[in-house]
């Protein structure tokens, strides 16, 4: 059987590029891949097993071919406003993609059981397929007078704008495989002995098997694999739900075998791990083939010139949309473990390098870009007797952590105000016009620059009182190791401590002023500030708000050294380095 590749470089261009891309006659044959011995327990007995990768079709599933054929042979599909199909997966997804690619059709609609996973519904919506849910039995008989397919046939008859292609009784379904899948197999493996496929609509196994038996050999065994009744795998059907199919399967399929869903998912996972990436129906096909070989042996099967038995099973779709089901069907012990699982409990909000400010960017954020004046030193550098405003927090937090202490307005000795308000009060009573989030102290803060952002300093108290940004609020955290992100346990402990301190002091609660006021976090190690910025931004996002939080990249040591070198401890900043 001669074959000439019409498109040897596999390039599709011009106004008909997508049409040619979806046309199997414009493509090389789909891959036929032999399984390694690790996946073929019968290799030592002279059995070779091949996977026919229908997942390599443009829409990456077996239904690409019938969807294309049904769309092209329908007199109504191109002009109808709505193309409806009883499908929760590959068929309607392929219709949506191909209809849009060929004609720009935007009206493909899936009628889907309300038992379908949210993950699968998201996949359909991602590909632009509309969804209408129905209740009751998920897999219904095509001929059921009260079933979804009967209702869709009636809808298409009664409504001119609706086209129902009907994959379960549309002969274009099985004929697409007769015209394309089977001739490829006959060309690739003329000594084929056994064809095995799962049965959904029955189109693939009927069309492919019918052609191979009539064009290669009537001795070819065609094995149909079904779900165990009451134990479904996505895609295939149980035999009682297929038996009434109008397709010519009775003269094509030699034997049926049923496979449990757990075995289907497990085999699919094994195949995928070896690089034969495929979904659970493909795993069901291979598991069914192996079961059939165990039960029947190979003595009576047609052999090639090397006295070997050549078997093919069809890979129908990909595993990704069923990932949730893999973990439901199979035990945790079948998946590699996750090291450092404690990190799944903490630090889940995103980080962004744009939040990590260099010293110059930090000053611009605090006192305005371009050298705006700041009436007072940016740095407060006083001895350990620093007269900072002290804010009492709850007894519980004081027992667990160092006391929360804040410094507001004038930091000079003697400017002390002993207030009892909680930190949540401090952060909630400031107005956007004040220089910091603060309560009133004995020294007015109105002289401070009105655009000054809120500064949260999470260094230990002993470090904070030695030097800090004027008007910073100290929420002291314990000392942690340098580069604590390199130690999962240190990350866990730091996040827990920070979250508890921020919750206790009310910082995590998004205040109205946070919509307008930027916040800067200062830390010792250079990394705690990154975590805090992520945490505070994430807390605001969870309540539908946006808080602009930044941190000093490298920590306080980097910022202080930069400020000192440039004289920003002086009374006036003139913007000149």
């Amino acid at each position: 059987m001669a074959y000439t590749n019409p498109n040897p470089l596999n390039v599709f261009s011009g106004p008909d590029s997508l049409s040619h891309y979806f046309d199997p006659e414009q493509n090389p044959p789909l891959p036929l891949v032999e399984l390694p011995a690790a996946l073929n327990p019968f290799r030592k007995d002279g059995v070779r097993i091949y996977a026919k990768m229908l997942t390599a079709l443009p829409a990456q599933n077996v239904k690409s071919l019938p969807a294309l054929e049904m769309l092209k042979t329908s007199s109504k599909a191109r002009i109808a406003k709505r193309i409806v199909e009883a499908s929760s997966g590959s068929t309607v997804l392929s219709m949506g993609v191909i209809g849009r690619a060929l004609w720009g059709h935007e009206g493909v609609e899936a009628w889907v059981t309300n038992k379908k996973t949210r993950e699968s519904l998201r996949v359909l919506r991602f590909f632009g397929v509309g969804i209408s849910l129905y209740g009751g039995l998920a897999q219904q008989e095509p001929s059921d007078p009260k079933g979804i397919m009967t209702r869709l046939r009636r809808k298409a008859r009664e409504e001119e704008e609706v086209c129902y292609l009907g994959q379960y009784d549309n002969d274009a379904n099985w004929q697409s495989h007769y015209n394309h899948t089977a001739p490829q197999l006959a060309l690739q493996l003329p000594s084929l002995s056994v064809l095995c496929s799962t049965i959904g609509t029955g189109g693939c196994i009927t069309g492919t098997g019918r052609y191979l038996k009539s064009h290669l050999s009537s001795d070819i065994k065609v094995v149909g694999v079904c779900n165990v009744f009451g134990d479904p795998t996505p895609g295939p059907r149980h035999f009682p739900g297929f038996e009434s199919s109008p397709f010519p399967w009775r003269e094509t399929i030699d034997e049926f075998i049923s496979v449990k869903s757990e075995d289907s998912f497990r085999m699919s996972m094994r195949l995928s791990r070896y690089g034969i990436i495929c979904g659970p129906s493909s795993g069901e096909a291979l598991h069914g083939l192996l079961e059939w070989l165990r039960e029947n042996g190979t003595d009576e099967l047609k052999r090639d010139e090397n006295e070997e038995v050549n078997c093919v099973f069809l890979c129908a779709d990909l595993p990704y949309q069923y990932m949730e089901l893999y973990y439901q069907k199979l035990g945790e012990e079948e998946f590699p473990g996750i090291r450092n699982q404690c990190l799944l409990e903490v630090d889940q909000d995103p980080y962004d390098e744009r939040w990590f400010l260099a010293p110059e960017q930090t000053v611009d954020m605090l006192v305005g870009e371009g050298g705006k004046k700041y009436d007072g030193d940016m740095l407060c550098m006083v001895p350990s007797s620093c007269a900072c405003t002290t804010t009492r927090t709850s007894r519980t937090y004081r027992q667990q952590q160092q006391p929360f202490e804040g410094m507001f307005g004038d930091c000079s000795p003697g400017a002390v105000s002993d207030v009892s308000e909680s930190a949540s009060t401090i952060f909630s009573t400031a107005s956007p016009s004040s220089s910091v989030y603060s309560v009133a102290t004995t020294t007015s803060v109105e002289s401070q620059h009105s655009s000054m952002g809120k500064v949260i300093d999470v260094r230990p108290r002993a470090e904070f009182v030695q030097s800090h940004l004027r008007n910073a609020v100290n929420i002291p955290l314990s000392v942690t190791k340098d580069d604590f992100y390199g130690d999962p346990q240190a990350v866990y402990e730091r996040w827990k401590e920070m979250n508890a301190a921020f919750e206790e002091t009310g910082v995590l609660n998004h205040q109205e002023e946070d919509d307008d006021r930027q916040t800067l976090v200062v830390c010792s190690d250079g990394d705690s500030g990154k975590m805090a910025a992520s945490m505070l931004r994430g807390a605001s996002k969870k309540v539908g708000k946006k808080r602009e939080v930044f941190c000093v990249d490298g920590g306080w040591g980097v910022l202080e050294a930069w400020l000192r070198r440039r004289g920003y401890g002086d009374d006036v900043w003139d913007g000149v380095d």
Side-chain angles (χ1 to χ4, degrees):
M1 191 178 297
Y3 171 75
T4 302
N5 188 347
N7 186 11
L9 296 180
N10 217 23
V11 175
F12 304 90
S13 59
D16 297 324
S17 58
L18 286 177
S19 177
H20 291 161
Y21 174 53
F22 280 96
D23 182 357
E25 301 300 326
Q26 300 293 323
N27 287 267
L30 300 173
L32 186 66
V33 185
E34 184 176 5
L35 299 187
L39 295 171
N40 177 10
F42 296 96
R43 185 67 190 93
K44 61 183 181 299
D45 302 319
V47 176
R48 306 180 74 168
I49 299 176
Y50 295 83
K52 179 61 172 174
M53 303 302 293
L54 295 172
T55 52
L57 285 161
Q60 300 184 330
N61 66 73
V62 66
K63 300 297 186 179
S64 295
L65 293 177
L68 176 66
E69 199 82 7
M70 287 188 289
L71 285 168
K72 291 177 71 173
T73 57
S74 169
S75 59
K76 193 177 180 182
R78 188 167 187 169
I79 59 174
K81 291 183 179 180
R82 297 167 60 199
I83 299 174
V84 299
E85 187 61 43
S87 167
S88 58
S90 298
T91 299
V92 75
L93 185 153
S94 296
M95 286 180 181
V97 170
I98 295 171
R100 187 176 292 104
L102 297 187
W103 310 319
H105 202 296
E106 297 284 349
V108 175
E109 184 179 302
W111 285 72
V112 181
T113 170
N114 63 343
K115 283 73 174 175
K116 200 66 176 174
T117 65
R118 300 296 188 273
E119 188 177 12
S120 295
L121 298 180
R122 290 192 193 102
V123 171
L124 292 177
R125 296 172 66 198
F126 172 84
F127 283 100
V129 175
I131 294 175
S132 291
L133 299 176
Y134 64 84
L137 188 65
Q139 285 190 337
Q140 300 182 0
E141 284 268 11
S143 58
D144 183 351
K146 293 185 177 180
I148 183 62
M149 285 160 266
T150 298
R151 293 201 297 272
L152 290 179
R153 290 188 200 100
R154 183 166 59 247
K155 178 182 286 290
R157 286 195 305 268
E158 296 173 353
E159 301 179 27
E160 185 63 30
E161 65 175 19
V162 174
C163 172
Y164 171 58
L165 295 175
Q167 60 173 326
Y168 287 91
D169 52 15
N170 189 327
D171 285 334
N173 181 343
W174 69 266
Q175 288 170 356
S176 68
H177 293 287
Y178 186 96
N179 295 332
H180 302 298
T181 305
Q184 286 188 18
L185 276 175
L187 177 68
Q188 292 171 315
L189 195 62
S191 56
L192 178 62
S193 309
V194 181
L195 172 71
C196 185
S197 173
T198 52
I199 296 173
T201 63
C204 184
I205 193 170
T206 299
T208 306
R210 188 179 177 88
Y211 179 97
L212 293 175
K213 285 195 169 191
S214 61
H215 287 74
L216 276 188
S217 170
S218 59
D219 292 331
I220 292 175
K221 293 292 185 182
V222 177
V223 180
V225 185
C226 299
N227 294 332
V228 170
F229 199 2
D231 181 24
T233 294
R237 298 173 74 83
H238 52 72
F239 181 74
F242 167 72
E243 195 172 12
S244 61
S245 168
F247 298 156
W249 59 269
R250 289 175 176 80
E251 59 268 36
T252 304
I253 302 175
D254 296 295
E255 295 188 46
F256 293 88
I257 192 164
S258 297
V259 173
K260 295 187 298 183
S261 63
E262 179 181 331
D263 294 329
S264 303
F265 278 87
R266 182 176 293 108
M267 184 62 76
S268 161
M269 187 171 68
R270 289 199 68 208
L271 283 164
S272 295
R273 289 177 176 181
Y274 275 89
I276 308 295
I277 301 175
C278 57
S281 66
S282 307
E284 183 170 302
L286 177 58
H287 189 92
L289 172 61
L290 297 178
E291 284 295 309
W292 185 85
L293 288 171
R294 289 189 187 96
E295 292 177 5
N296 293 273
T298 60
D299 293 342
E300 298 182 6
L301 295 178
K302 182 172 73 73
R303 293 178 178 266
D304 62 15
E305 63 275 8
N306 298 315
E307 290 301 307
E308 292 184 317
V309 174
N310 293 299
C311 306
V312 169
F313 72 100
L314 303 179
C315 285
D317 67 352
L318 296 172
Y320 308 113
Q321 65 175 310
Y322 308 112
M323 207 52 60
E324 182 180 335
L325 289 174
Y326 281 93
Y327 285 86
Q328 291 177 10
K329 294 286 184 180
L330 307 177
E332 276 291 326
E333 65 277 4
E334 301 200 34
F335 301 90
I338 301 175
R339 294 181 181 178
N340 308 321
Q341 283 202 67
C342 64
L343 294 185
L344 294 177
E345 302 175 28
V346 301
D347 198 27
Q348 295 293 294
D349 295 304
Y351 286 56
D352 191 321
E353 292 179 357
R354 293 173 295 179
W355 308 339
F356 312 156
L357 304 185
E360 185 174 4
Q361 294 173 301
T362 302
V363 172
D364 287 344
M365 181 207 130
L366 290 174
V367 296
E369 201 170 343
K372 293 180 181 178
K373 291 183 182 298
Y374 176 75
D375 297 332
D377 295 344
M378 291 191 67
L379 289 176
C380 176
M381 295 171 285
V382 293
S384 57
S385 59
C386 174
C388 297
T389 300
T390 299
T391 303
R392 300 192 184 102
T393 57
S394 71
R395 182 170 179 270
T396 302
Y397 183 68
R398 291 202 306 273
Q399 291 172 341
Q400 295 174 350
Q401 304 291 338
Q402 301 179 58
F404 172 95
E405 300 185 35
M407 200 237 325
F408 315 98
D410 186 1
C411 294
S412 60
V416 179
S417 176
D418 187 6
V419 295
S420 59
E421 285 84 355
S422 68
S424 59
T425 303
I426 290 173
F427 291 135
S428 64
T429 57
S431 68
S433 62
S434 65
S435 63
V436 293
Y437 281 65
S438 66
V439 294
T441 65
T442 56
T443 301
S444 172
V445 299
E446 292 179 359
S447 63
Q448 305 301 330
H449 197 281
S450 63
S451 65
M452 183 74 174
K454 179 166 68 177
V455 180
I456 299 174
D457 194 318
V458 297
R459 290 178 297 148
R461 176 66 178 165
E463 295 182 25
F464 176 77
V465 298
Q466 292 299 319
S467 64
H468 43 261
L469 288 172
R470 184 174 294 278
N471 299 317
V473 175
N474 185 212
I475 305 181
L477 302 179
S478 61
V479 176
T480 187
K481 60 171 61 177
D482 289 338
D483 187 24
F484 68 81
Y485 284 114
D487 182 344
Q489 188 61 34
V491 173
Y492 177 85
E493 292 172 358
R494 184 47 136 197
W495 189 93
K496 286 287 190 179
E497 178 190 15
M498 182 181 294
N499 188 68
F502 284 3
E503 279 192 346
E504 180 71 21
T505 55
V507 182
L508 286 181
N509 298 327
H510 186 99
Q511 306 298 332
E512 184 178 348
E513 303 82 40
D514 290 328
D515 295 334
D516 305 311
R517 181 66 58 83
Q518 293 180 324
T519 299
L520 177 72
V521 181
V522 179
C523 67
S524 304
D525 50 72
D527 291 328
S528 295
K530 297 175 182 178
M531 179 180 284
S534 169
M535 183 185 292
L536 293 174
R537 283 176 177 260
S540 289
K541 187 175 181 180
K542 288 179 178 68
V543 295
K545 300 290 187 178
K546 183 179 180 181
R547 184 190 300 187
E548 294 290 327
V549 187
F550 301 89
C551 65
V552 180
D553 197 7
W556 174 249
V558 173
L559 177 61
E560 182 184 27
W562 190 91
L563 291 171
R564 285 176 182 269
R565 286 196 303 270
R566 287 157 177 79
Y568 287 145
D570 296 336
D571 288 342
V572 178
W573 173 34
D574 60 10
V576 179
D577 287 347

